[in-house]
Amino acid sequence: MLFWPRIRWWWLRNNRRWTVRRLHAGSDGAAFVVVGAVQTMCGKASCRAGSTETDEEDPIMTISPEIEAQILRYYHVEKWRSGTIARQLRVHPETIARVLAQAGLPGIGAPRRPSKIDPYLPFIHEMLARFPTLTASRLHAMACERGYRGGASRFRAIIACHRPRPAAEAYLRLRTLPGEQAQCDWAHFGHLVIGRARRPLMAFVMVLSFSRHVFLRFFLDARMENFLRGHLGAFAAWDGVPRVILYDNLRSAVLERHGEAIRFNPALLDFAAHYRYEPRPVAVARGNEKGRVERAIRFVRDAFFAARTFADLDDLNAQADAWCRGLAADRRCPEDQTRSVAEVFAEEAPRLLKQPDNPYPVIERVAVKAAKTPYVRFDLNDYSVPHSYVRRTLTVLADPDRLRIVDGQAIVASHPRSFDKGKQIEDPAHVQALVAWKRQARRHRATDRLAQATPASRTLLVRAAERGANLGSITASLVLLLERYGASQLDAAITEALERDVPHPNAVRLALERRRDDRQQAPPVALTLPAHVQARDKAVRAHSLETYDQLRKVGHEEP
């Protein structure tokens, strides 16, 4: 007697194929089996159970149509069980189940056992029909209140099978007229590290619905001012304004919404009135209504931003402008595959609205308060003001490049804007005026200046104080070295002096001289000029000559 496991092991080892031949006889349905083994080498060809032919192109193990017919006849006519058919035909039970399933019969398996949840299924179906999003944990608690004693994990698995699935939604393909509509949105592209600040990198994306022309501009936040600056950049790039712009329900566009009752952001309404276009928000949680900009954002992520390197934000925006005019404009237009986006945009550009002669002013306005020190805090940094404005509320007017501090209509201070964190941006005139007015602050001012320029100077002063040294003279000497050699060289020299455990300005000076000799540079010379020579370098405002022209006109008019 041949045992099937032994035969299967022998067949796998010798890479041979069995051919099973069955002879059935008798009118009463009795059957006998004759098994013969035909040893044929398979080589690289695949072996099909129950077949004497090889097929080198199809490596999948299958069974012949004759075996499938035998399986169906034994199951339906002879009333054999699937396990009996598998043993007699030397076919895997899963193959028997697959053949019977393909023939339209239910899967072969053990009958379903009664479950504890069966009496509660009508209640569960009713609850899910009324509340489709009801959680399984809440349903389990409600079933337990009605007598259910099953576990929560098994209950959740069963609820997942009985929860109604939402019907698939069909969408219409929308088409727009040239110059009729644009769509815009924000997209987050990680963070950008500037000094000690870690700022979000936000992309403003606007796309024309007809030509699919894309405008891309990166900012360091998604504030209202940058939102409007993105619009200005798009209008300038297209030299026109679309009649309708679709928005998501972001705070820059919609402050509050209840159904069709919408309260727009007043700044956006004022901006839209200036450029004569209609702001139109899409329905809540309906991103498909502005699918063109959503697809454009994905296109930007894949085709532009992936694996891109850039030096700073200005470099990134320069690359984005070149990409929008180049690769993004040369792609095929989805609405007309025979033309490029640039060609379709050339047709759409004359249909856009003309821009007004006066551009909309976009300035960030923030109220700040100067404390007892002559600084105001704005966007993570401190900016100096004259000391006469301490403990007063001022107004900051900021754009991406410069920052102005005003008191009513008077400009108090003007500084270049910094996107770092914890920086002190100072006007030397403000500090010098304060030092001259309050002599007691001179020493502390020098110490703060050293701490900002060379952090290692704090450790040197602490160690010098422990040894009883004169901190005033040490601070004055270090400030003089700072003016002559610069912050980086002084910080390295202080670190070297601390490593030698000599917290004294002479050790710092020797380290600076040694570094200068190694670089073969000339010694720095302090240049002290008198006050009247320094005054020559001051900026002089040119006087307007209009008064002389008026005097000349008056002289000609007299007889």
Side-chain angles (χ1 to χ4, degrees), residues 207-424:
V207 58
L208 291 173
S209 299
F210 180 76
S211 63
R212 308 299 176 88
H213 199 281
V214 178
F215 173 79
L216 174 63
R217 183 66 54 85
F218 288 91
F219 297 96
L220 295 179
D221 55 55
R223 295 177 181 173
M224 188 66 192
E225 292 76 17
N226 287 334
F227 190 62
L228 299 182
R229 292 187 186 110
H231 286 72
L232 293 177
F235 298 162
W238 296 334
D239 194 19
V241 182
R243 288 169 171 79
V244 177
I245 298 182
L246 297 186
Y247 298 101
D248 202 349
N249 290 274
L250 67 167
R251 295 287 295 178
S252 299
V254 178
L255 295 181
E256 188 178 3
R257 179 168 186 166
H258 297 282
E260 296 299 327
I262 302 173
R263 185 163 69 93
F264 285 93
N265 193 314
L268 180 64
L269 287 180
D270 189 36
F271 180 82
H274 183 81
Y275 284 93
R276 306 295 190 269
Y277 75 88
E278 176 190 354
R280 184 181 300 173
V282 300
V284 178
R286 302 293 291 181
N288 59 286
E289 295 185 7
K290 57 180 186 64
R292 288 174 173 83
V293 70
E294 299 292 346
R295 181 63 183 89
I297 291 174
R298 187 173 65 179
F299 178 57
V300 169
R301 294 186 187 277
D302 298 339
F304 172 77
F305 195 77
R308 183 167 296 273
T309 58
F310 51 92
D312 51 17
L313 185 66
D314 294 335
D315 181 31
L316 179 61
N317 282 325
Q319 297 183 37
D321 292 339
W323 178 80
C324 291
R325 294 191 302 267
L327 179 63
D330 294 337
R331 74 188 192 278
R332 296 289 95 186
C333 181
E335 297 293 340
D336 187 358
Q337 293 291 333
T338 62
R339 297 190 295 173
S340 66
V341 171
E343 295 172 349
V344 181
F345 174 71
E347 175 188 347
E348 185 179 17
R351 312 281 177 82
L352 296 173
L353 300 175
K354 297 297 182 181
Q355 298 187 75
D357 297 333
N358 52 332
Y360 189 85
V362 179
I363 298 177
E364 189 172 355
R365 183 185 298 268
V366 179
V368 294
K369 185 176 182 180
K372 60 183 180 180
T373 57
Y375 297 95
V376 295
R377 172 62 61 90
F378 174 76
D379 196 16
L380 307 179
N381 297 292
D382 293 333
Y383 297 86
S384 67
V385 296
H387 66 275
S388 57
Y389 289 92
V390 295
R391 300 191 182 278
R392 294 176 62 177
T393 301
L394 305 173
T395 303
V396 171
L397 305 178
D399 57 36
D401 301 323
R402 198 150 190 88
L403 177 143
R404 292 174 298 163
I405 305 172
V406 300
D407 182 18
Q409 300 295 328
I411 299 178
V412 174
S414 178
H415 300 279
R417 183 168 182 177
S418 173
F419 291 95
D420 203 340
K421 179 181 179 181
K423 298 289 288 185
Q424 286 187 359

Side-chain angles (χ1 to χ4, degrees), residues 443-465:
R443 187 182 66 180
H444 299 288
R445 170 58 194 163
T447 305
D448 292 341
R449 182 183 176 189
L450 281 175
Q452 289 288 335
T454 57
S457 62
R458 297 181 179 179
T459 306
L460 187 142
L461 292 175
V462 171
R463 293 188 182 181

Side-chain angles (χ1 to χ4, degrees), residues 34-209:
V34 178
V35 179
V38 180
Q39 301 179 3
T40 57
M41 299 302 297
C42 294
K44 294 183 180 180
S46 62
C47 302
R48 295 188 178 185
S51 175
T52 58
E53 299 179 358
T54 61
D55 187 0
E56 297 183 358
E57 297 181 356
D58 188 7
I60 302 176
M61 301 292 292
T62 59
I63 60 175
S64 64
E66 292 80 3
I67 297 298
E68 292 186 3
Q70 290 180 5
I71 293 173
L72 294 175
R73 187 171 66 83
Y74 291 154
Y75 187 83
H76 292 286
V77 179
E78 307 297 345
K79 305 300 181 182
W80 286 10
R81 296 178 179 272
S82 60
T84 304
I85 299 175
R87 288 192 301 271
Q88 296 300 325
L89 296 183
R90 273 63 171 182
V91 180
H92 197 276
E94 292 183 0
T95 304
I96 302 296
R98 176 177 60 81
V99 172
L100 296 178
Q102 291 177 351
L105 297 178
I108 304 301
R112 181 180 178 276
R113 296 181 299 175
S115 175
K116 295 180 181 179
I117 202 174
D118 290 343
Y120 304 93
L121 285 179
F123 166 74
I124 292 173
H125 290 158
E126 179 184 356
M127 290 293 102
L128 291 177
R130 295 173 55 188
F131 310 102
T133 60
L134 193 63
T135 61
S137 59
R138 178 57 183 152
L139 273 174
H140 180 258
M142 296 172 68
C144 290
E145 294 174 357
R146 289 162 175 79
Y148 178 70
R149 294 295 178 265
S153 60
R154 179 59 182 167
F155 186 88
R156 284 194 297 269
I158 296 175
I159 292 301
C161 299
H162 290 276
R163 187 179 296 277
R165 299 294 185 267
E169 184 178 0
Y171 299 95
L172 292 174
R173 179 173 294 180
L174 302 178
R175 298 181 183 274
T176 59
L177 298 175
E180 181 68 22
Q181 184 190 97
Q183 301 176 8
C184 78
D185 201 358
W186 284 109
H188 186 259
F189 282 80
H191 291 80
L192 192 63
V193 177
I194 303 177
R196 291 180 290 178
R198 184 173 180 265
R199 296 183 177 272
L201 184 60
M202 305 297 296
F204 175 87
V205 182
M206 183 178 288
V207 58
L208 291 173
S209 299

